[in-house]
Amino acid sequence: MLYAILGRDTPNSLERRLAVRPTHLERLNALFAEGRLILAGPLPTIDSPDPGPAGFQGSLVVAEFPSLEDARAWANADPYVAAGVYTTVEVYPFRKVLPA
């Protein structure tokens, strides 16, 4: 099943985010290589694709996992969690409708 993972950034965490980003991307690339990643990306704090020093307010990942528990475990093991980039992580079952 698909799950939407929403990580919400801690205020002023841009430096930590950038420092840990390569490890965070390695995990996402592993999901992609397994054919399980639907989409992933950051949520800019301002209305701009490159927010610069304004940074990000979080990230969204939609991926396939065997269960909600597996999705939560994967999300909670993210390097952004360990580095204190994310203040909270929410995981929801997701039903993709479009595009078909």
Side-chain angles (χ1 to χ4, degrees), residues 15 20 26 35 38 44 53 62-63 74 99:
E15 283 187 35
V20 182
E26 282 179 25
I38 304 304
V62 177
W74 185 90

Side-chain angles (χ1 to χ4, degrees), residues 45-93:
T45 301
I46 61 173
D47 189 11
S48 172
D50 181 5
F56 301 92
Q57 57 187 318
S59 301
L60 174 66
V61 175
V62 177
E64 183 178 353
F65 292 93
S67 69
L68 179 59
E69 293 78 20
D70 289 323
R72 283 183 177 146
W74 185 90
N76 288 328
D78 193 290
Y80 283 174
V81 173
V85 173
Y86 289 159
T87 186
T88 62
V89 178
E90 302 165 54
V91 182
Y92 303 99

Side-chain angles (χ1 to χ4, degrees), residues 1 7 10-11 64 93:
M1 180 163 183
T10 303
E64 183 178 353

